Amino acid sequence: MIKMSDDSEEACLVRPRSPSLSGVSAGRMQYTQGISGSQLQTHNSSNNGNTNNNSGNHHSTHSQGSHSTARGSQSESGELIDYSDDVILSQFHADAIKQAGFGKFQLIASIISGLGLTGHAIQVYAVFYIIPSAEVEYCILDTEKNWLGSITLLGMALGSLLWGGLAGRAGRRKSLLSCLAVCGVFSAIAAFMPTYGPFMMARFCAAAGIGGVLPTAAVYLSEMTPVNYRARILGILGAFGVAGGLVAGALATITVPATGQKVILENKEHFSAWHRYLLLSTLPTFASILGLFWLPESPRYLLENSREVEALTIYQKIYQSNRTRGGYSLTELELPGTRTHRNLPTSVLQEMATSVMLFFGGFIQLFNKVNFKRTLLLFAAWSATIFVYHGLTIYIAEFSKSTESENYYRNTINKDNMSYENTDFNKSIENIVYTNCRFVNCTFRRMFISHVSFNNCSFQDTEFTNVKTSRTQFKFSSLEDVGLIDTDLTERHFVDCTMNNITTLRLVSTCDRDFEYNIYLDSLWKSHFGALLPGIIFMLMVGEGSHRFGRSRSATLCFGFSISLAITFAFLHHEPQVIWTAGCAQALALAGIAALTLLAIESYTTSLRCTAVGFFVCGGHIGALLGALLYAAFPVTSSKVAAIVSTIFLSFPISSAIILKDPCLLL
């Protein structure tokens, strides 16, 4: 005989953990979150009173006994929740989805939902790769560049709140479909925007749409999967989300210009490379939308909204998808009894008022006496974890760029006291310092001049034609009979210079910016790869670990190792070591928050589940916004400051993981 651990998922379904449920028969573990002792006693006495009379039909017995119990609070469907009803529905759903089994249906559903989450990650990581091209085309300032990332995070924060609240009211599938549609449409619109303002508005709307994917997709998959496979399937979902960052980077290396010179050339096209990149990035989102037309609504949501027959049809569909033959044993005779409805709205205006009240009422319920502590701990865990994760993403990218920049300037060529006469410069020159040099009757044609300094040089009868520059200056130099034809050379390029008979011919430009040609996209991709590849691995591992050892224990272990690695990378100096050590710390922190998200899904009642996760995801995006601002200010010459801050903030999620206990696994 196999002995089960007291903390295993199977044991939770057989042996109740709460003394209040000691009267429940074996094999019928009931959902107890948010149920007061008096309500449980009422429920148990009602059940005991009916058991002797109707022992042959368990579900029918509970549905009959449930109507005599006291009502609790208002549900999002406009009903009054009977807590005993919620217990019965949770048990019924657990039995029904277990009979439907696990197989092809859940795997396909995880791929379809995962593609939506892939689109979520692409929206975040794509910003890093489009900034250089957007800077040139829209002629934006450094502060405006920062807003490209900030507007995305703000939109996601708003979207997670909005669609998290709507998913309990309108349904998981419908909400997931709508938020993906909003993201896909506005992402495509953003790809065609010719100016900065409309582009930012379209990006904000797209981000608001994609922000609702995580809370709705995670809850949707959880409610469609038997308890023994729930943690694993959410691990797969998380791996899809992390893979989105890899897709964004890999697609950028193929599509987006890797050097500043190529960015300048691409900008002359009507539909340049970065616009095509944004358009291609929408493909996972549209693929998820198409797949969702094949998937049904969550049966648990249908049960909660008194649509039992529709739920039974979906259980049967899942069963048929997972099994090639045989019949589904659950019939309409075993459905729980229809719940009593309160007075429904009689007009459209009343319906709208009720919907608004229920929407905001869901957030208020997160802070009632039963949920307050749990909500506070999970919100702090989400905010601090994503604060560190996104902050380290910014910091490691800057660290990698700084290392490459040091190597670049270390190879600077110095040319002193040289004379050039009748010389035609037609190849780009880069990273050179000319000192005390003479240029007589020379031409600079159709070329790029990048990171070049002319110190105390003289130019006579020289012509610059069709020249583009970056970080180039003429200092203490003399220029006589010099022509500047179709160049970007302006007064800011000449510092304390003597200039006589200068001919300037060029179109008037509305943008006078010194664009940095060294955009280091390869270093950016390398720094992202160091966190994303371990992230996929740890996401799959935490799914298995949460199944075997529990949600809280797995989260505690992940955060513990993440803190250890955060401390370790403070003492590292070489780029590969810093990237991979910090990357593994990020991956473990993300895996830990995935385990806590599963714990949150199982901790809240059906009507609050999406609202709660949406609220936590919103806190995460706000944390990411603050983390980006703070970590960008840290010195990249040493990783000690970033490591110390990361360690401090990771103490919040590990404390939450230790304090929180795994709830009953029934949904």
Side-chain angles (χ1 to χ4, degrees):
M1 182 176 180
I2 300 175
K3 183 179 180 181
M4 291 185 297
S5 168
D6 290 337
D7 294 319
S8 68
E9 294 181 353
E10 293 83 355
C12 180
L13 294 174
V14 176
R15 291 192 293 273
R17 295 180 183 173
S18 172
S20 301
L21 295 177
S22 58
V24 181
S25 57
R28 298 290 179 180
M29 176 58 194
Q30 297 176 331
Y31 188 76
T32 64
Q33 294 297 323
I35 307 177
S36 65
S38 61
Q39 289 161 339
L40 283 169
Q41 292 172 3
T42 303
H43 172 64
N44 286 334
S45 63
S46 174
N47 289 341
N48 292 336
N50 289 330
T51 301
N52 295 332
N53 297 329
N54 300 288
S55 58
N57 190 333
H58 180 85
H59 293 291
S60 177
T61 298
H62 283 290
S63 64
Q64 294 170 9
S66 65
H67 294 300
S68 63
T69 60
R71 298 284 170 182
S73 61
Q74 190 172 325
S75 74
E76 293 193 24
S77 61
E79 305 168 7
L80 290 178
I81 296 176
D82 187 329
Y83 286 110
S84 61
D85 280 347
D86 193 64
V87 171
I88 294 168
L89 294 178
S90 297
Q91 181 62 67
F92 176 83
H93 173 71
D95 292 343
I97 202 69
K98 182 178 180 181
Q99 289 185 47
F102 177 85
K104 181 175 70 174
F105 179 90
Q106 283 83 7
L107 292 176
I108 293 176
S110 67
I111 292 172
I112 293 172
S113 302
L115 286 172
L117 204 57
T118 298
H120 177 281
I122 289 176
Q123 289 293 319
V124 176
Y125 281 90
V127 175
F128 294 101
Y129 298 100
I130 68 172
I131 282 179
S133 299
E135 179 185 0
V136 171
E137 182 169 333
Y138 294 151
C139 191
I140 56 180
L141 302 171
D142 289 339
T143 54
E144 294 173 327
K145 284 193 297 183
N146 295 334
W147 266 106
L148 279 173
S150 300
I151 200 73
T152 300
L153 294 172
L154 286 174
M156 287 181 171
L158 177 64
S160 59
L161 279 180
L162 176 63
W163 267 278
L166 289 177
R169 174 83 177 156
R172 283 56 160 138
R173 174 185 170 274
K174 189 180 296 183
S175 297
L176 184 56
L177 189 60
S178 63
C179 68
L180 285 170
V182 169
C183 174
V185 170
F186 280 99
S187 293
I189 291 174
F192 292 93
M193 288 295 99
T195 56
Y196 179 74
F199 173 78
M200 292 292 281
M201 181 59 69
R203 283 287 299 176
F204 177 79
C205 294
I210 206 67
V213 172
L214 179 54
T216 52
V219 172
Y220 178 73
L221 274 185
S222 297
E223 294 178 344
M224 301 287 274
T225 306
V227 61
N228 289 341
Y229 300 93
R230 189 184 302 148
R232 295 161 176 165
I233 208 71
L234 284 189
I236 295 175
L237 179 67
F240 267 98
V242 177
L246 287 176
V247 172
L251 190 60
T253 57
I254 300 172
T255 310
V256 178
T259 64
Q261 291 90 333
K262 291 181 179 179
V263 169
I264 296 295
L265 295 174
E266 277 282 349
N267 186 49
K268 297 179 181 180
E269 296 187 14
H270 176 67
F271 193 65
S272 54
W274 73 282
H275 291 287
R276 297 193 294 271
Y277 170 69
L278 287 179
L279 201 58
L280 289 173
S281 298
T282 64
L283 292 179
T285 301
F286 282 111
S288 182
I289 291 173
L290 293 176
L292 280 170
F293 285 104
W294 177 82
L295 294 178
E297 181 55 84
S298 163
R300 184 64 185 91
Y301 165 79
L302 295 175
L303 289 176
E304 184 70 14
N305 288 271
S306 302
R307 296 161 63 181
E308 294 88 354
V309 176
E310 293 178 57
L312 180 60
T313 303
I314 293 172
Y315 291 130
Q316 293 170 341
K317 179 179 180 179
I318 297 173
Y319 179 87
Q320 292 168 0
S321 298
N322 292 335
R323 291 171 172 80
T324 56
R325 54 186 172 181
Y328 190 59
S329 60
L330 199 64
T331 65
E332 292 186 26
L333 296 176
E334 297 177 89
L335 287 171
T338 303
R339 299 197 291 172
T340 303
H341 289 259
R342 63 191 291 269
N343 294 329
L344 297 176
T346 57
S347 66
V348 175
L349 186 61
Q350 186 179 357
E351 173 68 21
M352 292 175 60
T354 302
S355 299
V356 172
M357 181 183 65
L358 293 175
F359 177 83
F360 289 103
F363 293 101
I364 294 174
Q365 289 184 48
L366 295 179
F367 296 94
N368 62 20
K369 184 177 180 181
V370 175
N371 297 319
F372 180 80
K373 178 181 177 181
R374 178 170 54 239
T375 298
L376 197 61
L377 289 172
L378 287 169
F379 184 83
W382 254 95
S383 301
T385 300
I386 307 303
F387 173 91
V388 172
Y389 183 88
H390 195 72
L392 282 178
T393 299
I394 300 292
Y395 177 81
I396 298 303
E398 292 300 319
F399 182 90
S400 183
K401 289 180 182 180
S402 176
T403 302
E404 292 294 325
S405 180
E406 288 178 4
N407 294 333
Y408 178 82
Y409 285 111
R410 196 175 292 121
N411 296 320
T412 299
I413 299 173
N414 291 286
K415 294 187 177 183
D416 300 331
N417 301 308
M418 299 186 67
S419 180
Y420 300 90
E421 296 184 12
N422 303 316
T423 303
D424 186 12
F425 294 89
N426 54 17
K427 293 184 179 180
S428 296
I429 55 178
E430 182 177 2
N431 201 19
I432 300 176
V433 176
Y434 293 95
T435 305
N436 298 322
C437 295
R438 294 177 65 251
F439 297 86
V440 179
N441 196 25
C442 296
T443 58
F444 295 80
R445 299 178 186 272
R446 298 183 181 88
M447 61 185 299
F448 292 96
I449 302 179
S450 177
H451 292 81
V452 175
S453 181
F454 298 96
N455 299 327
N456 199 30
C457 296
S458 64
F459 297 83
Q460 187 174 2
D461 295 322
T462 298
E463 183 178 296
F464 293 84
T465 303
N466 196 8
V467 172
K468 302 296 180 183
T469 64
S470 171
R471 302 299 191 265
T472 295
Q473 280 193 328
F474 299 78
K475 300 179 180 179
F476 309 105
S477 300
S478 63
L479 295 87
E480 186 172 356
D481 298 324
V482 173
L484 305 177
I485 303 171
D486 191 21
T487 71
D488 59 2
L489 293 172
T490 60
E491 293 181 359
R492 62 179 172 80
H493 291 89
F494 302 95
V495 180
D496 294 327
C497 293
T498 302
M499 305 175 68
N500 294 315
N501 195 23
I502 306 300
T503 303
T504 302
L505 294 174
R506 64 168 177 266
L507 295 174
V508 178
S509 175
T510 58
C511 181
D512 184 17
R513 299 280 187 273
D514 191 7
F515 175 60
E516 171 63 85
Y517 286 175
N518 293 340
I519 55 180
Y520 300 117
L521 282 190
D522 291 339
S523 297
L524 181 65
W525 164 239
K526 182 169 56 177
S527 67
H528 288 169
F529 189 81
L532 294 169
L533 183 61
I536 295 176
I537 298 172
F538 287 129
M539 275 293 181
L540 296 174
M541 291 177 62
V542 79
E544 183 66 27
S546 296
H547 168 71
R548 293 182 178 274
F549 308 113
R551 289 56 166 143
S552 179
R553 290 180 181 177
S554 298
T556 302
L557 192 64
C558 288
F559 288 124
F561 279 115
S562 180
I563 290 174
S564 300
L565 290 174
I567 296 173
T568 301
F569 98 89
F571 302 97
L572 303 176
H573 304 284
H574 298 292
E575 182 189 13
Q577 297 174 346
V578 172
I579 288 176
W580 287 97
T581 304
C584 288
Q586 288 178 268
L588 283 164
L590 204 61
I593 206 62
L596 287 186
T597 301
L598 179 56
L599 185 149
I601 292 172
E602 295 168 339
S603 297
Y604 291 88
T605 56
T606 306
S607 60
L608 289 179
R609 198 167 290 140
C610 288
T611 303
V613 179
F615 180 66
F616 303 145
V617 174
C618 174
H621 290 312
I622 294 174
L625 180 61
L626 298 176
L629 296 175
L630 183 62
Y631 278 76
F634 290 160
V636 293
T637 54
S638 173
S639 55
K640 287 183 172 59
V641 176
I644 292 171
V645 172
S646 300
T647 302
I648 293 173
F649 276 87
L650 285 174
S651 64
F652 290 98
I654 195 173
S655 300
S656 299
I658 293 172
I659 295 171
L660 291 168
K661 303 301 179 184
D662 287 1
C664 173
L665 303 177
L666 295 184
L667 295 178

